[in-house]
């Protein structure tokens, strides 16, 4: 696709429910990143994929958070037993390859609200 | 703790003036630096990247990097009201790291 595509754009759910957020990177981009942005906070790194493997999961805040990537393309971020502090905008980015100088291009994000 | 610090602003400049946005970072082995622009409710959009000491110009934008002082800046010449946004500074720390560490952003308002 022309850009990074994320769905849903908005998600409202009750505390304790599981949610799945989807990211479709730019075609041909092998590196994929998840970040989240909370109100008043900067972007916070969650996890990085190169192909289907995740060499850096250091940003996942708890074991309720997991992510996978299949076919070197689409990625899903899953949050189990959601808590109110999980409310944030979840942003996905992709870059052309595993090269730290390659710029990361962001999708429009999923705004997650936990009631 | 690897950190990127920015003045949160708001920074207000008149239309046509030069806007100067500043960023400091904590780790001397930082490799790459990026400036993103984020309009309210929108995703970050890449403006500039810089990897070497000195200046890098692209249209009305100039990024400046001083690794000795651990300082990176973004100058916007001939500022326009459409430049009003939050500007995020990001750094990649370390050769084996691919994640970006972001500052909290500086809100810029260009007054017509």
């Amino acid at each position: 696709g022309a850009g990074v595509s994320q769905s849903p754009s908005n998600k409202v759910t009750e505390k304790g429910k599981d949610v799945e957020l989807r990211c479709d990177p730019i075609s041909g981009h092998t590196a994929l990143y998840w970040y989240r942005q909370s109100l008043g906070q900067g972007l916070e790194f969650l996890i990085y994929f190169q192909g289907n493997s995740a060499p850096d999961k250091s940003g996942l805040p708890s074991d309720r958070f997991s992510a996978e990537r299949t076919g070197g393309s689409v990625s899903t971020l899953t949050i189990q037993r959601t808590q109110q502090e999980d409310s944030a905008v979840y942003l996905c980015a992709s870059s052309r390859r595993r090269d730290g100088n390659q710029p990361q291009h962001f999708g429009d994000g999923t705004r997650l609200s936990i009631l | 703790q690897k950190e990127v610090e920015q003045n949160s602003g708001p920074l207000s400049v008149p239309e046509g003036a030069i806007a100067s946005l500043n960023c400091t970072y904590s780790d001397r082995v930082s490799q790459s630096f990026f400036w993103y622009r984020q309009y309210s409710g929108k995703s970050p959009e890449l403006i500039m990247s810089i990897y070497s000491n000195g200046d890098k110009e692209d249209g009305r934008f100039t990024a400046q990097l001083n690794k000795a002082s651990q300082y990176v800046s973004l100058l916007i010449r001939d500022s326009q009201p459409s430049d009003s946004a939050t500007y995020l500074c990001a750094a990649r720390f370390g050769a084996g790291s691919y994640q970006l560490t972001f500052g909290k952003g500086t809100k810029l308002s260009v007054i017509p």
Side-chain angles (χ1 to χ4, degrees):
Chain A
V4 177
S5 177
Q6 291 188 248
S7 61
S9 55
N10 285 281
K11 178 72 176 179
V12 181
T13 192
E14 294 179 347
K15 176 182 171 181
K17 300 285 188 184
D18 297 352
V19 295
E20 282 191 355
L21 311 179
R22 175 188 167 104
C23 173
D24 197 346
I26 293 171
S27 178
H29 281 196
T30 60
L32 185 147
Y33 311 79
W34 284 98
Y35 294 84
R36 73 176 176 181
Q37 188 172 32
S38 305
L39 193 63
Q41 300 296 317
L43 272 81
E44 174 190 13
F45 169 78
L46 297 177
I47 188 170
Y48 151 67
F49 285 92
Q50 175 59 37
N52 292 336
S53 65
D56 189 351
K57 304 180 184 179
S58 62
L60 294 178
S62 76
D63 59 7
R64 296 186 294 106
F65 287 72
S66 62
E68 65 174 11
R69 189 179 185 194
T70 56
S73 181
V74 172
S75 176
T76 302
L77 177 69
T78 300
I79 309 173
Q80 294 179 310
R81 306 180 302 282
T82 51
Q83 303 295 311
Q84 287 186 331
E85 62 262 29
D86 300 333
S87 296
V89 178
Y90 288 80
L91 290 159
C92 177
S94 69
S95 64
R96 190 175 300 276
R97 59 182 181 270
R98 189 179 69 176
D99 174 345
N101 288 346
Q102 286 291 313
Q104 297 177 20
H105 299 276
F106 285 84
D108 287 338
T110 293
R111 184 174 299 275
L112 177 63
S113 299
I114 310 300
L115 302 179
Chain B
Q1 182 80 4
K2 296 182 172 70
E3 294 182 336
V4 175
E5 299 285 343
Q6 294 182 257
N7 187 322
S8 63
L11 173 66
S12 294
V13 300
E15 184 174 354
I18 296 174
S20 178
L21 303 161
N22 304 315
C23 172
T24 59
Y25 57 93
S26 62
D27 194 316
R28 288 188 178 277
V29 298
S30 300
Q31 301 284 318
S32 316
F33 303 88
F34 303 87
W35 282 99
Y36 286 84
R37 177 175 64 197
Q38 188 173 27
Y39 293 111
S40 181
K42 300 295 186 182
S43 63
E45 172 192 9
L46 181 70
I47 298 295
M48 294 281 287
S49 59
I50 187 165
Y51 318 119
S52 304
N53 278 327
D55 294 359
K56 179 180 178 183
E57 186 174 319
D58 184 359
R60 295 187 296 113
F61 299 97
T62 299
Q64 299 174 318
L65 174 60
N66 183 325
K67 290 189 175 183
S69 299
Q70 296 174 221
Y71 176 94
V72 58
S73 66
L74 179 70
L75 301 178
I76 307 174
R77 289 182 299 281
D78 187 23
S79 295
Q80 301 297 307
S82 58
D83 295 326
S84 298
T86 296
Y87 288 80
L88 304 173
C89 174
R92 182 176 71 86
F93 293 116
S97 173
Y98 300 95
Q99 62 172 280
L100 295 180
T101 300
F102 284 83
K104 293 185 179 181
T106 298
K107 187 171 183 178
L108 172 67
S109 292
V110 180
I111 311 302

